[in-house]
Structure formats: C-alpha cells, structure tokens
Amino acid sequence: MPKHILEEKRYKYDLTNWKDLYKMKDEFGVTISNLVHRLKSLNWIVHDPNSKQIYLGEAVPSRKKE
C-alpha cells in the first residue's frame, strides 16, 4: 500500500473507526492486520493490541482545505 495512495483514500475514512478500517482493507484487498500494521508504521494510528481503541497518530494527514 503505497503512502501516496493511502493519502488519497484516507479522506474517505475515519481511521479511528473499525468499520471504516474494514471497508478500507476491502478496497485495498489486504488483511485487517496488514492495514493496521501499515497505518501504524506511518504513525497515522496508535493501537493497543490489548484493547479495541484506536487513536490518530501524530503523522496522520489532515483533511484537505477546500
């Protein structure tokens, strides 16, 4: 999942919402584990594997100004 493609698609989804992450993984044709790992590696999300809560990371792109 190239970063520039994730940046384009990121605006369609709430990265803190599991339902949106499952939609996103379907769009990319990857597993949820792979998607979560990639988003964590970009520091877009923070996820504690012991809980279901997801938080936005420090490097998450902000919404584009219209």
Side-chain angles (χ1 to χ4, degrees):
M1 292 169 278
K3 184 178 178 181
H4 71 278
I5 294 174
L6 283 168
E7 287 173 338
E8 291 173 12
K9 304 289 184 183
R10 180 268 180 272
Y11 302 106
K12 289 174 45 178
Y13 302 103
D14 175 357
L15 298 181
T16 63
N17 182 303
W18 280 106
K19 286 183 182 181
D20 278 5
L21 291 181
Y22 274 89
K23 291 176 190 174
M24 195 175 185
K25 71 105 179 156
D26 288 340
E27 187 170 338
F28 282 102
V30 299
T31 66
I32 192 67
S33 297
N34 185 263
L35 176 63
V36 168
H37 178 75
R38 179 67 171 133
L39 295 175
K40 285 170 64 175
S41 74
L42 292 170
N43 198 24
W44 287 11
I45 64 170
V46 177
H47 171 246
D48 177 0
N50 297 321
S51 80
K52 294 182 180 179
Q53 189 65 43
I54 301 172
Y55 303 96
L56 290 178
E58 293 179 13
V60 69
S62 61
R63 293 218 178 254
K64 292 181 180 177
K65 294 180 182 178
E66 297 181 39

